[in-house]
Amino acid sequence: MATDKPHMNLAVIGHIDHGKSTTVGRLLFETGAVPAHIIETFRKEAEAKGKGSFEFAWVMDSLKEERERGITIDIAHKRFDTDKFYFTVVDCPGHRDFIKNMITGASQADAALLVVAAPDGVMEQTKEHVFLSRTLGINQLIVGVNKMDAVKFDEKRYNEVKEQLSQLLKMVGFKPDDVPFVPMSSFEGANIAAKSDKTPWYNGPTVLECLNALKEPEKPTTLPMRLPIQDVYTISGVGTVPVGRIETGIMRKGDKVAFMPANVNGEIKSIEMHHEEIPEAQPGDNVGFNVRGVGKGDIRRGDVCGPVEAPPTVVEEFTAQIVVLQHPSALTVGYTPVFHCHTAQVACMFTELLSKLDPRTGQVKEQNPTFLKAGDAAIVKIKPTRPMVLENVKEIPQLGRFAVRDMGSTIAAGMCIAVQAKQMR
């Protein structure tokens, strides 16, 4: 497998049971990433357990618990190639309790494939995932209207679902005319890799053609280097090895780096990717790197590594634009939920509600509202309860977005539009 093709991270999003895993399994099968005999083994195993239509889903759901429950928990990363790109699929769980995995998945994606089942149409989580993917910075979207076999490939039903979705997409700022909609059946393979004779009324592209038509994201190599830490290991004979994905800039061997908000400095001795040592790493690369002068206890998940001369920004307070996805009552000043930003999770307090916006146009509707409720978009002031790294979305967009969670669900999503930096000594 030559890796000279450009790489894309694809998030597959949508409501539970709308066929995300089966779609991904089908894509992997159709592009030759998973051989036919493996699918056949899964099919026999699935039938033996009385889950006859799950063979493609099982390609992704390799965790035993997922097979038993028939749902997706972990974000499985799988690779497949099209003529133009090589894709890493981030299969995002659709189940309520797994939405925080979905946030991690979507925040790493360059494009999203939204799977909506034709019989159900738009469901609660379809909305939530669309809102989130937009706020988390995904701006390329493909919509697959799945399970067309269950509605006998009815054009009228497809158009109804397409209309519902177009309204939803407009609301969050996607232009429906620029978003391809594909009537498909992942179970039967209709319109995934080849045009289906069951949809003679559809003359648009297949899912694979839509994927090939995506635009390659520009790598933010000119921005200062930022690597949010996912984990820190101590490897005997090597030393402290933090791991994470480079979001912006270039990491080179010999670089002097600062970890914030831990406020420790070190020097990069070596960088490894896929168990091979490399001299430098670029945005999108998942790397492990060895740092001289930093102990395992000095840094942790949620810290961000950057160059000493342009260290990651630690915020004292910040102004954000948010969309409230859901809240049982109303959100007011003093509310302190957990903010998930890059790999950090920090409780932050709403200190001021500056203005309420019209979510469709972004214009100010109301100054200093007393509360915010589900569906509201707003500009707010936030104060973290402990030091955290966050960047202005206009300067380093990759570290300027966040999701707000409380009581096991996503309350809001947003982006940081101004920071008051903490002075680090």
Side-chain angles (χ1 to χ4, degrees):
M1 273 193 186
T3 50
D4 45 10
K5 288 180 188 170
H7 177 229
M8 294 278 273
N9 281 309
L10 177 73
V12 180
I13 60 177
H15 195 73
I16 183 162
D17 281 344
H18 277 200
K20 294 187 298 298
S21 292
T22 303
T23 301
V24 171
R26 173 61 79 173
L27 282 169
L28 294 169
F29 171 66
E30 296 286 359
T31 54
V34 176
H37 70 268
I38 292 191
I39 297 276
E40 189 53 29
T41 314
F42 279 144
R43 192 176 65 74
K44 290 191 173 122
E45 201 181 320
E47 277 174 0
K49 289 202 167 158
K51 288 186 176 348
S53 68
F54 278 78
E55 63 262 35
F56 288 109
W58 282 17
V59 173
M60 287 304 276
D61 298 348
S62 40
L63 297 178
K64 185 168 182 302
E65 184 195 350
E66 299 187 359
R67 292 195 187 176
E68 308 281 306
R69 288 171 64 186
I71 52 178
T72 311
I73 299 170
D74 196 16
I75 301 180
H77 286 272
K78 290 278 191 293
R79 170 182 173 159
F80 70 90
D81 287 61
T82 64
D83 309 339
K84 195 171 152 201
F85 296 110
Y86 89 84
F87 284 93
T88 303
V89 178
V90 193
D91 185 31
C92 296
H95 213 260
R96 270 250 60 93
D97 25 330
F98 308 132
I99 200 111
K100 59 175 180 298
N101 286 7
M102 144 75 201
I103 293 165
T104 325
S107 63
Q108 294 173 351
D110 302 306
L113 169 59
L114 170 66
V115 180
V116 184
D120 296 342
V122 172
M123 303 289 278
E124 218 22 67
Q125 274 175 282
T126 315
K127 293 180 190 162
E128 186 167 13
H129 282 197
V130 168
F131 265 122
L132 278 174
S133 55
R134 184 63 181 174
T135 314
L136 293 166
I138 295 177
N139 44 28
Q140 300 194 72
L141 185 67
I142 296 164
V143 177
V145 179
N146 192 25
K147 302 194 183 183
M148 284 300 293
D149 52 306
V151 295
K152 303 190 172 54
F153 293 94
D154 177 26
E155 183 181 7
K156 185 164 163 283
R157 180 59 189 153
Y158 165 73
N159 286 327
E160 286 166 6
V161 175
K162 183 177 172 179
E163 183 47 37
Q164 285 183 358
L165 281 159
S166 299
Q167 295 305 326
L168 173 65
L169 295 180
K170 247 188 250 163
M171 205 165 111
V172 295
F174 282 109
K175 295 192 177 79
D177 295 345
D178 299 347
V179 175
F181 287 81
V182 185
M184 66 183 209
S185 163
S186 298
F187 180 53
E188 292 190 5
N191 293 331
I192 302 282
K195 294 259 199 296
S196 168
D197 54 6
K198 293 181 177 169
T199 51
W201 43 266
Y202 172 73
N203 54 14
T206 61
V207 174
L208 281 179
E209 286 170 342
C210 290
L211 290 171
N212 268 332
L214 290 168
K215 292 183 187 65
E216 185 185 347
E218 282 177 25
K219 286 196 171 183
T221 47
T222 53
L223 292 173
M225 195 268 289
R226 292 290 182 266
L227 178 140
I229 293 172
Q230 280 161 12
D231 268 309
V232 185
Y233 300 103
T234 304
I235 296 175
S236 59
V238 181
T240 304
V241 179
V243 298
R245 177 176 184 260
I246 295 183
E247 294 295 338
T248 56
I250 296 176
M251 175 185 275
R252 294 185 178 88
K253 206 171 147 169
D255 280 357
K256 302 264 193 299
V257 291
F259 293 87
M260 292 294 173
N263 207 7
V264 292
N265 294 356
E267 184 187 326
I268 293 178
K269 285 203 299 198
S270 64
I271 309 168
E272 259 201 22
M273 185 161 125
H274 300 311
H275 308 293
E276 282 174 32
E277 196 169 316
I278 51 173
E280 60 167 57
Q282 296 207 348
D285 291 347
N286 283 297
V287 297
F289 55 105
N290 174 229
V291 194
R292 183 185 285 121
V294 176
K296 184 179 190 306
D298 298 337
I299 53 177
R300 59 177 182 169
R301 180 183 166 90
D303 285 344
V304 178
C305 173
V308 166
E309 62 281 7
T313 310
V314 180
V315 294
E316 180 75 51
E317 194 170 36
F318 62 96
T319 307
Q321 181 173 326
I322 64 165
V323 176
V324 182
L325 300 166
Q326 51 166 342
H327 194 275
S329 53
L331 189 159
T332 53
V333 167
Y335 180 49
T336 312
V338 176
F339 278 59
H340 291 241
C341 176
H342 51 86
T343 57
Q345 299 177 12
V346 177
C348 299
M349 184 163 92
F350 283 78
T351 54
E352 229 179 305
L353 307 181
L354 299 170
S355 59
K356 203 187 279 191
L357 310 172
D358 181 334
R360 281 173 293 281
T361 60
Q363 301 300 312
V364 173
K365 267 203 317 203
E366 185 186 341
Q367 295 287 1
N368 306 109
T370 47
F371 65 88
L372 300 173
K373 58 184 191 332
D376 284 345
I379 307 278
V380 294
K381 264 204 164 150
I382 310 281
K383 193 174 177 60
T385 57
R386 61 182 171 81
M388 73 182 275
V389 166
L390 191 63
E391 305 281 357
N392 185 326
V393 79
K394 292 187 195 67
E395 289 162 21
I396 305 184
Q398 293 73 7
L399 270 80
R401 303 177 191 281
F402 55 82
V404 182
R405 290 179 52 81
D406 190 15
M407 305 168 290
S409 56
T410 308
I411 300 298
M415 51 193 178
C416 166
I417 53 174
V419 298
Q420 185 188 329
K422 201 179 178 75
Q423 292 313 308
M424 304 296 284
R425 283 195 273 289

